[in-house]
Amino acid sequence: TAKTYAGFAENTTHTSRIASGNVAADESLVLKLYYDRLTYVVTFRNHDDSMLKEETIRFEGNATPPDDPTRTGYTFHSWDGDYTGVKAAQTIKATFTANINTIYTVEHYQQNIKDDGYTLEVTEVLSGTTDTAATAIAKTFTGFLENTTHDDRMSTGNIDGDGSRVLKLFYDRKTYTVTFKNHDNSVLENETVRYGGDATPPADPIRAGYTFLDWNGTYASITKSETVWAVFSAITTTPY
């Protein structure tokens, strides 16, 4: 009568099997039963559940893992699961440790003087832990204020394992008023000018008995509000 062994099944087709026979007086009868080990499939899977290897293992045998898989931005750590002394079907999954030095980029853009475009001023290449959130830190630029509502602003984002994450901050130029005044303190023109920009003087003013000479004051490369005065020279041949 066949026995029951955990992890084994009787092989009823083994060529040396003798399951019955006549009992000889000389006690020479030997019956032989054979038992095969059960087999189980051990499956090795990557972090994304893709299959790396399948191996059929006999009861209590050991599976052989595949080569350590790679994952961008991560370092292979170990196999999660028991693939030695196998007694059942197993799924073994690769585990990884996130790299702490994965790069990401922060770009700082400054508003142009004469149009509504922006020009890249500073690029920072930084690093952090893969698949964690990175936050761009705004810089202080003289004459600029961060534009927190710009459509292309990206102040935070996931640090992608391939180092492709780019964060973007935008800065608008401060604006100043340049006031052009006549000799009598009357205002000829007020012009709003972006930081670093130039104001455009009005037409040369007219003053009876005088010749316009120039504008006295700063109206180019503006860094603050300015008042610019019309300068005249008395006409020495004025009749009287």
Side-chain angles (χ1 to χ4, degrees):
T1 301
K3 291 185 176 292
T4 298
Y5 297 104
F8 291 81
E10 186 187 1
N11 182 344
T12 59
T13 62
H14 195 284
T15 55
S16 299
R17 181 178 187 267
I18 303 174
S20 61
N22 292 322
V23 178
D26 60 1
E27 299 181 348
S28 61
L29 176 64
V30 178
L31 304 181
K32 299 179 180 180
L33 299 182
Y34 294 82
Y35 301 82
D36 289 349
R37 291 177 183 268
L38 299 178
T39 59
Y40 304 98
V41 174
V42 177
T43 303
F44 292 89
R45 293 187 178 274
N46 209 343
H47 68 282
D48 58 359
D49 213 34
S50 60
M51 187 174 69
L52 300 170
K53 178 182 178 181
E54 272 190 350
E55 186 176 355
T56 300
I57 303 297
R58 289 178 180 173
F59 177 73
E60 294 182 324
N62 300 330
T64 302
D67 293 337
D68 294 347
T70 59
R71 181 182 180 186
T72 303
Y74 288 79
T75 300
F76 177 78
H77 180 261
S78 63
W79 295 104
D80 182 21
D82 189 1
Y83 53 88
T84 62
V86 172
K87 296 180 180 180
Q90 298 285 349
T91 296
I92 312 298
K93 200 158 187 177
T95 63
F96 295 83
T97 300
N99 294 340
I100 62 173
N101 58 347
T102 302
I103 66 169
Y104 66 96
T105 302
V106 179
E107 296 178 342
H108 301 264
Y109 291 83
Q110 291 183 349
Q111 186 183 40
N112 297 335
I113 293 175
K114 294 184 178 180
D115 58 50
D116 291 330
Y118 289 76
T119 299
L120 178 61
E121 178 67 17
V122 175
T123 299
E124 298 177 288
V125 179
L126 306 173
S127 64
T129 302
T130 301
D131 283 330
T132 62
T135 300
I137 298 175
K139 290 186 171 296
T140 299
F141 296 108
T142 301
F144 291 83
L145 293 173
E146 187 188 359
N147 180 346
T148 59
T149 61
H150 194 283
D151 289 342
D152 295 329
R153 181 178 188 262
M154 182 178 292
S155 61
T156 62
N158 183 69
I159 300 177
D160 300 319
D162 61 1
S164 62
R165 173 60 59 195
V166 178
L167 304 180
K168 297 181 180 182
L169 298 182
F170 294 82
Y171 303 82
D172 286 350
R173 292 177 183 267
K174 293 180 180 180
T175 58
Y176 302 97
T177 299
V178 177
T179 302
F180 291 90
K181 288 191 174 185
N182 209 342
H183 68 285
D184 59 358
N185 204 37
S186 61
V187 175
L188 299 171
E189 181 175 291
N190 282 320
E191 185 176 351
T192 300
V193 180
R194 290 176 180 171
Y195 174 81
D198 301 337
T200 302
D204 295 348
I206 297 172
R207 179 182 180 187
Y210 289 80
T211 299
F212 174 80
L213 291 180
D214 201 356
W215 296 102
N216 181 27
T218 299
Y219 57 90
S221 301
I222 294 300
T223 59
K224 60 186 179 67
S225 292
E226 300 280 0
T227 298
V228 182
W229 298 85
V231 177
F232 296 86
S233 174
I235 299 173
T236 59
T237 58
T238 303
Y240 61 93

